[in-house]
Amino acid sequence: MPAKPGRWVAPALLVTPDGRYLMQHRDNIPGITLPDHWSCFGGAIDPGDADAEAAVRREIKEELEFTAREARLFTEITAVLPFGEPRVDRMTFFEVPITVEDVATMVLREGQGMALLTPAALAAEPKAAPWDLCAVLMHARRRLMFGDR
């Protein structure tokens, strides 16, 4: 059975200069994708959004009351998600540089928590969104894997 088209989402790789990533501990409620998991902040691209960058900026503002100074396209992942009826989701990841001082000003509006995690700490979490972990690891190791391109 072919997978149905799913959602187009814009997650943010909120990264500090020392290489930690601000991750959301998702709510533990039925009906959401991967409840009680660690994931990137961000969300669905709404019909009113001009593009994926506008969506990631809107989502960061809604979820953290934070205005991103920069949002640079990093990578895009398309995955068949095997939940119930399989669906194909498109995930457009943006690099959003932040500081520890920025984090101190953020107000969590969605999820049960947030934390600055190293890639290794995120990889050690038994409940980490796999596609977000993939993007974090690609971002953290980009120079090693891809050079200075």
Side-chain angles (χ1 to χ4, degrees):
M1 168 180 234
K4 291 188 173 186
R7 302 180 323 145
W8 183 16
V9 297
L13 297 170
L14 294 153
V15 60
T16 61
D18 66 357
R20 292 180 294 161
Y21 295 81
L22 184 64
M23 305 302 293
Q24 177 192 55
H25 189 187
R26 293 176 59 78
D27 287 315
N28 191 14
I29 55 177
I32 66 170
T33 302
L34 296 181
D36 197 34
H37 279 64
W38 288 96
S39 70
C40 291
F41 285 92
I45 297 170
D46 291 343
D49 294 325
D51 55 22
E53 181 181 337
V56 78
R57 288 177 178 278
R58 176 186 50 74
E59 288 283 346
I60 292 168
K61 186 72 173 168
E62 289 175 4
E63 295 175 353
L64 294 169
E65 293 187 14
F66 178 71
T67 302
R69 291 177 292 281
E70 296 179 62
R72 296 185 295 262
L73 176 64
F74 176 66
T75 194
E76 190 164 276
I77 298 172
T78 302
V80 176
L81 303 183
F83 303 123
E85 190 173 349
R87 69 176 200 244
V88 179
D89 276 9
R90 176 181 175 189
M91 295 159 265
T92 306
F93 288 86
F94 287 85
E95 175 186 21
V96 179
I98 59 170
T99 65
V100 173
E101 293 78 18
D102 290 333
V103 175
T105 69
M106 295 175 182
V107 178
L108 183 67
R109 295 286 183 208
E110 187 174 307
Q112 59 181 314
M114 63 181 181
L116 283 170
L117 300 174
T118 64
L122 182 61
E125 283 293 331
K127 290 185 170 183
W131 39 85
D132 291 354
L133 175 59
C134 174
V136 165
L137 292 175
M138 282 176 40
H139 185 266
R141 299 174 182 170
R142 65 194 177 281
R143 285 185 182 76
L144 178 65
M145 293 187 304
F146 309 117
D148 289 329
R149 297 179 214 174

